[in-house]
Amino acid sequence: MTTGQRIKAARKNAGLTQKELGQRLGVAYQTLAQWENDLRNPKYETLQRIAAALNVDVSWLMNGYTLEQRDQESKDYVKKRFAETNAWKDRLDEIGQDLGKLNDEGQVEAVKRVKELTEIEKYRYKQKPSPFSAGIKVYGDGPAGSFPPFPQTPPPSEGKDTTPPIDAPETPPEGE
């Protein structure tokens, strides 16, 4: 959902027409229609006024989530990571305790068997785990410590960017 679509949804939820909201904001209804149709983007200060007029969170208008939702997502992510870390630590503690029960010869044999397990596809990671995660599965496909993806909508495009990448050779625009 785009910013314009969220403005429209919030306006309709408030039971207002474009003309009524435009009057509250001091803008022409045509301007509001352009925002709702993503033909133009209101400035941040205007988004704040729209949010206040519609009694919605400005972060929701801009990004599709409120700051409270973002904070809760972050808290949930951290909680999950701590649980994963504790589970990993518990497994290491258990292995360490069992290894401590073995004599030198038994410990050498245990290491060999663990190495054998790493050769069996069924027990291997599909991708090498990040060194930061110490083998702990991280959220999504991102690197260890990456935050969960928040539902965001890209800003509406205002024409195609024809700027060449920094490393690309400059070429004249088409038609010249």
Side-chain angles (χ1 to χ4, degrees):
M1 186 179 258
T2 66
T3 299
Q5 290 168 332
R6 285 188 290 274
I7 292 170
K8 183 175 185 175
R11 175 183 58 77
K12 287 187 171 196
N13 191 48
L16 297 173
T17 64
Q18 287 178 338
K19 184 176 181 180
E20 291 168 332
L21 179 57
Q23 288 172 341
R24 286 187 185 186
L25 298 172
V27 299
Y29 77 89
Q30 293 93 336
T31 301
L32 191 59
Q34 290 177 336
W35 292 336
E36 288 183 359
N37 291 311
D38 295 308
L39 299 175
R40 291 179 55 199
N41 293 315
K43 294 180 182 177
Y44 178 73
E45 295 77 20
T46 305
L47 279 172
Q48 288 177 309
R49 292 183 16 235
I50 294 168
L54 298 173
N55 197 29
V56 296
D57 189 295
V58 69
S59 294
W60 178 79
L61 279 181
M62 291 174 19
N63 307 309
Y65 59 87
T66 66
L67 293 178
E68 290 80 16
Q69 289 170 325
R70 183 202 63 191
D71 291 346
Q72 188 59 51
E73 288 280 335
S74 295
K75 286 176 187 176
D76 292 346
Y77 170 76
V78 169
K79 188 176 180 180
K80 179 181 176 186
R81 287 301 310 251
F82 272 112
E84 291 171 345
T85 302
N86 285 333
W88 179 254
K89 183 184 171 300
D90 290 345
R91 287 192 300 266
L92 285 178
D93 288 347
E94 186 177 348
I95 290 170
Q97 289 170 4
D98 289 340
L99 201 57
K101 295 175 187 176
L102 301 173
N103 61 24
D104 288 346
E105 186 179 346
Q107 290 179 5
V108 169
E109 189 63 28
V111 169
K112 286 180 188 176
R113 294 199 183 191
V114 168
K115 286 186 185 232
E116 288 172 5
L117 284 174
T118 65
E119 298 301 318
I120 300 171
E121 188 67 29
K122 172 180 172 181
Y123 300 120
R124 295 177 61 155
Y125 279 106
K126 302 299 179 228
Q127 293 180 331
K128 187 174 181 179
S130 163
F132 298 111
S133 70
I136 301 168
K137 183 174 179 351
V138 295
Y139 187 94
D141 294 327
S146 65
F147 286 92
F150 295 110
Q152 295 183 11
T153 54
S157 61
E158 296 184 34
K160 186 176 180 183
D161 183 4
T162 57
T163 307
I166 294 172
D167 295 42
E170 290 190 30
T171 57
E174 291 182 33
E176 285 189 22

PDB file of all heavy atoms in Angstrom, residues 138-167:
ATOM      1  N   VAL A 138      19.288 -17.204  11.861  1.00  0.00           N
ATOM      2  CA  VAL A 138      18.893 -15.818  12.054  1.00  0.00           C
ATOM      3  C   VAL A 138      17.579 -15.556  11.362  1.00  0.00           C
ATOM      4  O   VAL A 138      17.121 -16.352  10.553  1.00  0.00           O
ATOM      5  CB  VAL A 138      19.975 -14.841  11.538  1.00  0.00           C
ATOM      6  CG1 VAL A 138      21.232 -14.971  12.362  1.00  0.00           C
ATOM      7  CG2 VAL A 138      20.250 -15.055  10.076  1.00  0.00           C
ATOM      8  N   TYR A 139      16.980 -14.432  11.663  1.00  0.00           N
ATOM      9  CA  TYR A 139      15.690 -14.054  11.107  1.00  0.00           C
ATOM     10  C   TYR A 139      15.808 -13.921   9.601  1.00  0.00           C
ATOM     11  O   TYR A 139      16.674 -13.242   9.098  1.00  0.00           O
ATOM     12  CB  TYR A 139      15.239 -12.719  11.706  1.00  0.00           C
ATOM     13  CG  TYR A 139      13.846 -12.349  11.312  1.00  0.00           C
ATOM     14  CD1 TYR A 139      12.767 -12.672  12.121  1.00  0.00           C
ATOM     15  CD2 TYR A 139      13.601 -11.702  10.121  1.00  0.00           C
ATOM     16  CE1 TYR A 139      11.491 -12.340  11.747  1.00  0.00           C
ATOM     17  CE2 TYR A 139      12.330 -11.373   9.737  1.00  0.00           C
ATOM     18  CZ  TYR A 139      11.279 -11.694  10.565  1.00  0.00           C
ATOM     19  OH  TYR A 139      10.011 -11.356  10.183  1.00  0.00           O
ATOM     20  N   GLY A 140      14.960 -14.570   8.887  1.00  0.00           N
ATOM     21  CA  GLY A 140      14.902 -14.438   7.439  1.00  0.00           C
ATOM     22  C   GLY A 140      16.198 -14.853   6.776  1.00  0.00           C
ATOM     23  O   GLY A 140      16.925 -15.690   7.276  1.00  0.00           O
ATOM     24  N   ASP A 141      16.513 -14.222   5.667  1.00  0.00           N
ATOM     25  CA  ASP A 141      17.721 -14.554   4.932  1.00  0.00           C
ATOM     26  C   ASP A 141      18.822 -13.541   5.177  1.00  0.00           C
ATOM     27  O   ASP A 141      19.886 -13.648   4.590  1.00  0.00           O
ATOM     28  CB  ASP A 141      17.421 -14.615   3.424  1.00  0.00           C
ATOM     29  CG  ASP A 141      16.483 -15.757   3.099  1.00  0.00           C
ATOM     30  OD1 ASP A 141      16.548 -16.787   3.772  1.00  0.00           O
ATOM     31  OD2 ASP A 141      15.691 -15.594   2.170  1.00  0.00           O
ATOM     32  N   GLY A 142      18.565 -12.542   6.012  1.00  0.00           N
ATOM     33  CA  GLY A 142      19.543 -11.485   6.233  1.00  0.00           C
ATOM     34  C   GLY A 142      20.709 -11.959   7.067  1.00  0.00           C
ATOM     35  O   GLY A 142      20.708 -13.055   7.611  1.00  0.00           O
ATOM     36  N   PRO A 143      21.734 -11.123   7.182  1.00  0.00           N
ATOM     37  CA  PRO A 143      22.889 -11.505   7.984  1.00  0.00           C
ATOM     38  C   PRO A 143      22.539 -11.521   9.463  1.00  0.00           C
ATOM     39  O   PRO A 143      21.539 -10.950   9.882  1.00  0.00           O
ATOM     40  CB  PRO A 143      23.898 -10.398   7.669  1.00  0.00           C
ATOM     41  CG  PRO A 143      23.071  -9.232   7.255  1.00  0.00           C
ATOM     42  CD  PRO A 143      21.856  -9.815   6.580  1.00  0.00           C
ATOM     43  N   ALA A 144      23.371 -12.176  10.247  1.00  0.00           N
ATOM     44  CA  ALA A 144      23.129 -12.220  11.687  1.00  0.00           C
ATOM     45  C   ALA A 144      23.058 -10.799  12.206  1.00  0.00           C
ATOM     46  O   ALA A 144      23.823  -9.936  11.803  1.00  0.00           O
ATOM     47  CB  ALA A 144      24.254 -12.973  12.383  1.00  0.00           C
ATOM     48  N   GLY A 145      22.146 -10.541  13.094  1.00  0.00           N
ATOM     49  CA  GLY A 145      21.983  -9.212  13.648  1.00  0.00           C
ATOM     50  C   GLY A 145      21.119  -8.305  12.795  1.00  0.00           C
ATOM     51  O   GLY A 145      20.882  -7.172  13.149  1.00  0.00           O
ATOM     52  N   SER A 146      20.653  -8.792  11.662  1.00  0.00           N
ATOM     53  CA  SER A 146      19.800  -7.950  10.831  1.00  0.00           C
ATOM     54  C   SER A 146      18.414  -7.913  11.459  1.00  0.00           C
ATOM     55  O   SER A 146      17.989  -8.853  12.100  1.00  0.00           O
ATOM     56  CB  SER A 146      19.722  -8.485   9.401  1.00  0.00           C
ATOM     57  OG  SER A 146      19.101  -9.733   9.383  1.00  0.00           O
ATOM     58  N   PHE A 147      17.747  -6.816  11.278  1.00  0.00           N
ATOM     59  CA  PHE A 147      16.432  -6.678  11.863  1.00  0.00           C
ATOM     60  C   PHE A 147      15.377  -7.224  10.935  1.00  0.00           C
ATOM     61  O   PHE A 147      15.586  -7.306   9.733  1.00  0.00           O
ATOM     62  CB  PHE A 147      16.151  -5.210  12.211  1.00  0.00           C
ATOM     63  CG  PHE A 147      16.919  -4.777  13.412  1.00  0.00           C
ATOM     64  CD1 PHE A 147      18.163  -4.190  13.292  1.00  0.00           C
ATOM     65  CD2 PHE A 147      16.413  -5.011  14.677  1.00  0.00           C
ATOM     66  CE1 PHE A 147      18.874  -3.820  14.407  1.00  0.00           C
ATOM     67  CE2 PHE A 147      17.124  -4.648  15.790  1.00  0.00           C
ATOM     68  CZ  PHE A 147      18.362  -4.048  15.661  1.00  0.00           C
ATOM     69  N   PRO A 148      14.240  -7.589  11.493  1.00  0.00           N
ATOM     70  CA  PRO A 148      13.194  -8.148  10.638  1.00  0.00           C
ATOM     71  C   PRO A 148      12.732  -7.107   9.630  1.00  0.00           C
ATOM     72  O   PRO A 148      12.762  -5.923   9.926  1.00  0.00           O
ATOM     73  CB  PRO A 148      12.074  -8.496  11.625  1.00  0.00           C
ATOM     74  CG  PRO A 148      12.342  -7.692  12.836  1.00  0.00           C
ATOM     75  CD  PRO A 148      13.823  -7.452  12.876  1.00  0.00           C
ATOM     76  N   PRO A 149      12.307  -7.553   8.486  1.00  0.00           N
ATOM     77  CA  PRO A 149      11.840  -6.591   7.498  1.00  0.00           C
ATOM     78  C   PRO A 149      10.505  -6.003   7.909  1.00  0.00           C
ATOM     79  O   PRO A 149       9.601  -6.723   8.279  1.00  0.00           O
ATOM     80  CB  PRO A 149      11.694  -7.434   6.229  1.00  0.00           C
ATOM     81  CG  PRO A 149      11.494  -8.827   6.724  1.00  0.00           C
ATOM     82  CD  PRO A 149      12.223  -8.919   8.036  1.00  0.00           C
ATOM     83  N   PHE A 150      10.422  -4.694   7.889  1.00  0.00           N
ATOM     84  CA  PHE A 150       9.166  -4.040   8.217  1.00  0.00           C
ATOM     85  C   PHE A 150       8.388  -3.850   6.943  1.00  0.00           C
ATOM     86  O   PHE A 150       8.967  -3.638   5.885  1.00  0.00           O
ATOM     87  CB  PHE A 150       9.415  -2.682   8.881  1.00  0.00           C
ATOM     88  CG  PHE A 150      10.087  -2.810  10.207  1.00  0.00           C
ATOM     89  CD1 PHE A 150      11.389  -2.411  10.382  1.00  0.00           C
ATOM     90  CD2 PHE A 150       9.420  -3.382  11.272  1.00  0.00           C
ATOM     91  CE1 PHE A 150      12.010  -2.545  11.587  1.00  0.00           C
ATOM     92  CE2 PHE A 150      10.035  -3.531  12.491  1.00  0.00           C
ATOM     93  CZ  PHE A 150      11.328  -3.109  12.651  1.00  0.00           C
ATOM     94  N   PRO A 151       7.066  -3.909   7.040  1.00  0.00           N
ATOM     95  CA  PRO A 151       6.282  -3.738   5.823  1.00  0.00           C
ATOM     96  C   PRO A 151       6.423  -2.312   5.314  1.00  0.00           C
ATOM     97  O   PRO A 151       5.941  -1.390   5.936  1.00  0.00           O
ATOM     98  CB  PRO A 151       4.849  -4.032   6.278  1.00  0.00           C
ATOM     99  CG  PRO A 151       4.859  -3.830   7.749  1.00  0.00           C
ATOM    100  CD  PRO A 151       6.265  -4.091   8.216  1.00  0.00           C
ATOM    101  N   GLN A 152       7.157  -2.139   4.249  1.00  0.00           N
ATOM    102  CA  GLN A 152       7.362  -0.815   3.699  1.00  0.00           C
ATOM    103  C   GLN A 152       6.930  -0.813   2.247  1.00  0.00           C
ATOM    104  O   GLN A 152       7.033  -1.814   1.560  1.00  0.00           O
ATOM    105  CB  GLN A 152       8.825  -0.415   3.771  1.00  0.00           C
ATOM    106  CG  GLN A 152       9.336  -0.281   5.186  1.00  0.00           C
ATOM    107  CD  GLN A 152      10.777   0.182   5.196  1.00  0.00           C
ATOM    108  OE1 GLN A 152      11.327   0.583   4.190  1.00  0.00           O
ATOM    109  NE2 GLN A 152      11.389   0.142   6.347  1.00  0.00           N
ATOM    110  N   THR A 153       6.492   0.333   1.817  1.00  0.00           N
ATOM    111  CA  THR A 153       6.168   0.464   0.411  1.00  0.00           C
ATOM    112  C   THR A 153       7.160   1.445  -0.176  1.00  0.00           C
ATOM    113  O   THR A 153       7.467   2.457   0.447  1.00  0.00           O
ATOM    114  CB  THR A 153       4.733   0.992   0.222  1.00  0.00           C
ATOM    115  OG1 THR A 153       4.589   2.191   0.969  1.00  0.00           O
ATOM    116  CG2 THR A 153       3.716  -0.024   0.669  1.00  0.00           C
ATOM    117  N   PRO A 154       7.687   1.149  -1.345  1.00  0.00           N
ATOM    118  CA  PRO A 154       8.647   2.071  -1.938  1.00  0.00           C
ATOM    119  C   PRO A 154       7.950   3.367  -2.325  1.00  0.00           C
ATOM    120  O   PRO A 154       6.754   3.379  -2.607  1.00  0.00           O
ATOM    121  CB  PRO A 154       9.147   1.323  -3.171  1.00  0.00           C
ATOM    122  CG  PRO A 154       8.088   0.324  -3.480  1.00  0.00           C
ATOM    123  CD  PRO A 154       7.414   0.002  -2.175  1.00  0.00           C
ATOM    124  N   PRO A 155       8.694   4.475  -2.308  1.00  0.00           N
ATOM    125  CA  PRO A 155       8.065   5.731  -2.713  1.00  0.00           C
ATOM    126  C   PRO A 155       7.674   5.657  -4.173  1.00  0.00           C
ATOM    127  O   PRO A 155       8.331   4.966  -4.960  1.00  0.00           O
ATOM    128  CB  PRO A 155       9.171   6.778  -2.486  1.00  0.00           C
ATOM    129  CG  PRO A 155      10.443   6.004  -2.448  1.00  0.00           C
ATOM    130  CD  PRO A 155      10.086   4.627  -1.977  1.00  0.00           C
ATOM    131  N   PRO A 156       6.595   6.332  -4.536  1.00  0.00           N
ATOM    132  CA  PRO A 156       6.180   6.289  -5.937  1.00  0.00           C
ATOM    133  C   PRO A 156       7.288   6.844  -6.821  1.00  0.00           C
ATOM    134  O   PRO A 156       7.947   7.796  -6.461  1.00  0.00           O
ATOM    135  CB  PRO A 156       4.927   7.159  -5.988  1.00  0.00           C
ATOM    136  CG  PRO A 156       4.821   7.836  -4.689  1.00  0.00           C
ATOM    137  CD  PRO A 156       5.763   7.183  -3.734  1.00  0.00           C
ATOM    138  N   SER A 157       7.481   6.236  -7.970  1.00  0.00           N
ATOM    139  CA  SER A 157       8.538   6.706  -8.858  1.00  0.00           C
ATOM    140  C   SER A 157       8.068   7.969  -9.553  1.00  0.00           C
ATOM    141  O   SER A 157       6.905   8.128  -9.883  1.00  0.00           O
ATOM    142  CB  SER A 157       8.887   5.626  -9.873  1.00  0.00           C
ATOM    143  OG  SER A 157       7.761   5.329 -10.665  1.00  0.00           O
ATOM    144  N   GLU A 158       8.997   8.850  -9.728  1.00  0.00           N
ATOM    145  CA  GLU A 158       8.666  10.107 -10.392  1.00  0.00           C
ATOM    146  C   GLU A 158       9.445  10.176 -11.696  1.00  0.00           C
ATOM    147  O   GLU A 158      10.179  11.097 -11.963  1.00  0.00           O
ATOM    148  CB  GLU A 158       9.008  11.279  -9.486  1.00  0.00           C
ATOM    149  CG  GLU A 158       8.172  11.278  -8.218  1.00  0.00           C
ATOM    150  CD  GLU A 158       8.431  12.495  -7.359  1.00  0.00           C
ATOM    151  OE1 GLU A 158       8.697  13.575  -7.905  1.00  0.00           O
ATOM    152  OE2 GLU A 158       8.363  12.361  -6.143  1.00  0.00           O
ATOM    153  N   GLY A 159       9.349   9.141 -12.495  1.00  0.00           N
ATOM    154  CA  GLY A 159      10.082   9.072 -13.747  1.00  0.00           C
ATOM    155  C   GLY A 159      11.250   8.122 -13.589  1.00  0.00           C
ATOM    156  O   GLY A 159      11.693   7.835 -12.492  1.00  0.00           O
ATOM    157  N   LYS A 160      11.740   7.659 -14.707  1.00  0.00           N
ATOM    158  CA  LYS A 160      12.826   6.679 -14.690  1.00  0.00           C
ATOM    159  C   LYS A 160      14.148   7.392 -14.454  1.00  0.00           C
ATOM    160  O   LYS A 160      14.449   8.400 -15.080  1.00  0.00           O
ATOM    161  CB  LYS A 160      12.845   5.940 -16.029  1.00  0.00           C
ATOM    162  CG  LYS A 160      13.826   4.822 -16.069  1.00  0.00           C
ATOM    163  CD  LYS A 160      13.722   4.069 -17.373  1.00  0.00           C
ATOM    164  CE  LYS A 160      14.722   2.940 -17.405  1.00  0.00           C
ATOM    165  NZ  LYS A 160      14.686   2.243 -18.674  1.00  0.00           N
ATOM    166  N   ASP A 161      14.960   6.851 -13.544  1.00  0.00           N
ATOM    167  CA  ASP A 161      16.273   7.402 -13.265  1.00  0.00           C
ATOM    168  C   ASP A 161      17.216   6.919 -14.353  1.00  0.00           C
ATOM    169  O   ASP A 161      17.441   5.731 -14.522  1.00  0.00           O
ATOM    170  CB  ASP A 161      16.760   6.921 -11.895  1.00  0.00           C
ATOM    171  CG  ASP A 161      18.104   7.524 -11.521  1.00  0.00           C
ATOM    172  OD1 ASP A 161      18.617   8.362 -12.292  1.00  0.00           O
ATOM    173  OD2 ASP A 161      18.644   7.154 -10.464  1.00  0.00           O
ATOM    174  N   THR A 162      17.754   7.873 -15.099  1.00  0.00           N
ATOM    175  CA  THR A 162      18.658   7.514 -16.196  1.00  0.00           C
ATOM    176  C   THR A 162      20.105   7.781 -15.824  1.00  0.00           C
ATOM    177  O   THR A 162      20.977   7.732 -16.671  1.00  0.00           O
ATOM    178  CB  THR A 162      18.291   8.301 -17.464  1.00  0.00           C
ATOM    179  OG1 THR A 162      18.345   9.697 -17.167  1.00  0.00           O
ATOM    180  CG2 THR A 162      16.919   7.919 -17.985  1.00  0.00           C
ATOM    181  N   THR A 163      20.377   8.074 -14.564  1.00  0.00           N
ATOM    182  CA  THR A 163      21.745   8.315 -14.130  1.00  0.00           C
ATOM    183  C   THR A 163      22.532   7.015 -14.223  1.00  0.00           C
ATOM    184  O   THR A 163      22.129   6.006 -13.653  1.00  0.00           O
ATOM    185  CB  THR A 163      21.767   8.812 -12.663  1.00  0.00           C
ATOM    186  OG1 THR A 163      20.895   9.918 -12.554  1.00  0.00           O
ATOM    187  CG2 THR A 163      23.173   9.182 -12.241  1.00  0.00           C
ATOM    188  N   PRO A 164      23.671   7.027 -14.936  1.00  0.00           N
ATOM    189  CA  PRO A 164      24.442   5.785 -15.029  1.00  0.00           C
ATOM    190  C   PRO A 164      25.101   5.474 -13.701  1.00  0.00           C
ATOM    191  O   PRO A 164      25.385   6.379 -12.922  1.00  0.00           O
ATOM    192  CB  PRO A 164      25.488   6.093 -16.111  1.00  0.00           C
ATOM    193  CG  PRO A 164      25.613   7.577 -16.119  1.00  0.00           C
ATOM    194  CD  PRO A 164      24.276   8.118 -15.678  1.00  0.00           C
ATOM    195  N   PRO A 165      25.337   4.181 -13.426  1.00  0.00           N
ATOM    196  CA  PRO A 165      26.058   3.835 -12.207  1.00  0.00           C
ATOM    197  C   PRO A 165      27.433   4.493 -12.217  1.00  0.00           C
ATOM    198  O   PRO A 165      27.961   4.827 -13.280  1.00  0.00           O
ATOM    199  CB  PRO A 165      26.174   2.310 -12.280  1.00  0.00           C
ATOM    200  CG  PRO A 165      25.206   1.875 -13.317  1.00  0.00           C
ATOM    201  CD  PRO A 165      24.958   3.038 -14.202  1.00  0.00           C
ATOM    202  N   ILE A 166      28.023   4.658 -11.056  1.00  0.00           N
ATOM    203  CA  ILE A 166      29.304   5.350 -10.941  1.00  0.00           C
ATOM    204  C   ILE A 166      30.362   4.709 -11.834  1.00  0.00           C
ATOM    205  O   ILE A 166      31.143   5.390 -12.476  1.00  0.00           O
ATOM    206  CB  ILE A 166      29.776   5.353  -9.467  1.00  0.00           C
ATOM    207  CG1 ILE A 166      28.818   6.188  -8.632  1.00  0.00           C
ATOM    208  CG2 ILE A 166      31.184   5.889  -9.333  1.00  0.00           C
ATOM    209  CD1 ILE A 166      29.063   6.121  -7.157  1.00  0.00           C
ATOM    210  N   ASP A 167      30.403   3.388 -11.902  1.00  0.00           N
ATOM    211  CA  ASP A 167      31.428   2.685 -12.663  1.00  0.00           C
ATOM    212  C   ASP A 167      31.106   2.595 -14.160  1.00  0.00           C
ATOM    213  O   ASP A 167      31.952   2.194 -14.945  1.00  0.00           O
ATOM    214  CB  ASP A 167      31.598   1.256 -12.132  1.00  0.00           C
ATOM    215  CG  ASP A 167      32.122   1.262 -10.711  1.00  0.00           C
ATOM    216  OD1 ASP A 167      31.653   2.081  -9.929  1.00  0.00           O
ATOM    217  OD2 ASP A 167      33.000   0.447 -10.406  1.00  0.00           O
TER     218      ASP A 167
END
